[in-house]
Amino acid sequence: MYNAFKNIVFFTLAIALSGYLNSESDNEIDAVDETIRLIGIENVTRNITTHEANDVAKKLMLEGLFYDAISVIENIKEKDIISYLMLGVIEYIENGNNDKAMSVFNKISDNPISMYFIGNIYKDNDDPNKAIYWIEQSAKYGFLNAQYQLSLLYMEFGFYNKAYIWARCATLNGYHDTHSLVNTFENNIFLIDKKQTIDSIYNTRTCPFNIKYSKEFEKLGYKSIH
């Protein structure tokens, strides 16, 4: 009798989740959130795929239900890159827990978005060398956020050539706010003899760019800078 009831409950939940993942209705989102609370996060994640669980967590993130999103992600048996990215971003941006965020991002340290956040955590911890290293790795993969921030870091430490290169690349790749940053280099005495050469080397063909990383970041509910 219990098993039959449990099967009915999970069948109902599967239908609800299907509507939830494809709906923007506040009422349906509230209904599924209540269903999740009644049945329990662990039971929900046990009976859906990693991709489906990620989608549930993502919807919860977009609703600002970060505690519930963490619970969903932590109960996913086979987490993937998206699972870890969501968990790391919540811990870093929403909870301000750099230690937990670092632990999560280190599990997927070959992902450019993760590299970017690892660099930011090192920056927060006053380790500029490691910050620059990790953010530059991300920038080389074409992540716009990293290219822009790398330019600011290099400018802060007086490496104007490198600062200009990454500001130029970010601008060419579509980050419009770097126009003002690029303009600050126009009369920089350290670049007067080098700017033309840099411009000829770094162009739309040679500057690394991959839009998928910006799109992935935006799907987590955070604005990318392109």
Side-chain angles (χ1 to χ4, degrees), residues 74-150:
E74 287 183 339
N75 280 283
I76 298 174
K77 287 185 178 179
E78 297 182 3
K79 298 178 183 63
D80 61 12
I81 290 174
I82 298 300
S83 309
Y84 286 119
L85 280 178
M86 286 192 291
L87 186 57
V89 166
I90 292 174
E91 292 293 1
Y92 181 67
I93 295 179
E94 305 301 337
N95 294 345
N97 192 325
N98 285 11
D99 291 339
K100 275 192 177 180
M102 180 67 93
S103 176
V104 173
F105 287 128
N106 275 330
K107 295 179 187 297
I108 50 168
S109 59
D110 57 346
N111 176 274
I113 300 175
S114 185
M115 294 173 183
Y116 169 74
F117 281 107
I118 290 172
N120 273 278
I121 293 170
Y122 277 123
K123 181 176 181 291
D124 294 343
N125 293 339
D126 296 320
D127 193 335
N129 291 328
K130 287 184 179 178
I132 287 174
Y133 170 80
W134 281 100
I135 294 173
E136 186 157 23
Q137 298 312 302
S138 178
K140 287 177 179 177
Y141 276 97
F143 186 35
L144 272 176
N145 295 56
Q147 292 179 353
Y148 174 63
Q149 187 161 359
L150 186 58

Side-chain angles (χ1 to χ4, degrees), residues 7-188:
N7 289 337
I8 291 171
V9 169
F10 283 124
F11 178 71
T12 304
L13 176 62
I15 294 173
L17 282 173
S18 176
Y20 175 66
L21 297 177
N22 294 287
S23 170
E24 298 299 328
S25 165
D26 291 339
N27 291 334
E28 290 187 32
I29 289 172
D30 291 342
V32 174
D33 186 47
E34 183 61 24
T35 305
I36 289 172
R37 292 179 190 281
L38 289 172
I39 296 177
I41 295 293
E42 187 175 349
N43 287 328
V44 171
T45 53
R46 186 186 298 133
N47 290 274
I48 59 178
T49 66
T50 297
H51 177 74
E52 289 169 335
N54 285 341
D55 281 347
V56 171
K58 195 180 300 178
K59 288 276 188 177
L60 292 169
M61 283 179 68
L62 294 173
E63 288 296 304
L65 301 171
F66 300 111
Y67 177 80
D68 289 342
I70 288 175
S71 296
V72 169
I73 297 165
E74 287 183 339
N75 280 283
I76 298 174
K77 287 185 178 179
E78 297 182 3
K79 298 178 183 63
D80 61 12
I81 290 174
I82 298 300
S83 309
Y84 286 119
L85 280 178
M86 286 192 291
L87 186 57
V89 166
I90 292 174
E91 292 293 1
Y92 181 67
I93 295 179
E94 305 301 337
N95 294 345
N97 192 325
N98 285 11
D99 291 339
K100 275 192 177 180
M102 180 67 93
S103 176
V104 173
F105 287 128
N106 275 330
K107 295 179 187 297
I108 50 168
S109 59
D110 57 346
N111 176 274
I113 300 175
S114 185
M115 294 173 183
Y116 169 74
F117 281 107
I118 290 172
N120 273 278
I121 293 170
Y122 277 123
K123 181 176 181 291
D124 294 343
N125 293 339
D126 296 320
D127 193 335
N129 291 328
K130 287 184 179 178
I132 287 174
Y133 170 80
W134 281 100
I135 294 173
E136 186 157 23
Q137 298 312 302
S138 178
K140 287 177 179 177
Y141 276 97
F143 186 35
L144 272 176
N145 295 56
Q147 292 179 353
Y148 174 63
Q149 187 161 359
L150 186 58
S151 176
L152 294 177
L153 278 172
Y154 273 134
M155 186 164 62
E156 180 181 345
F157 292 104
F159 297 103
Y160 298 109
N161 284 8
K162 291 182 177 181
Y164 176 67
I165 288 169
W166 287 110
R168 175 171 170 76
C169 282
T171 302
L172 291 174
N173 288 334
Y175 180 39
H176 300 296
D177 286 355
T178 43
H179 284 297
S180 58
L181 184 58
V182 168
N183 289 338
T184 65
F185 293 108
E186 289 296 329
N187 298 314
N188 188 299

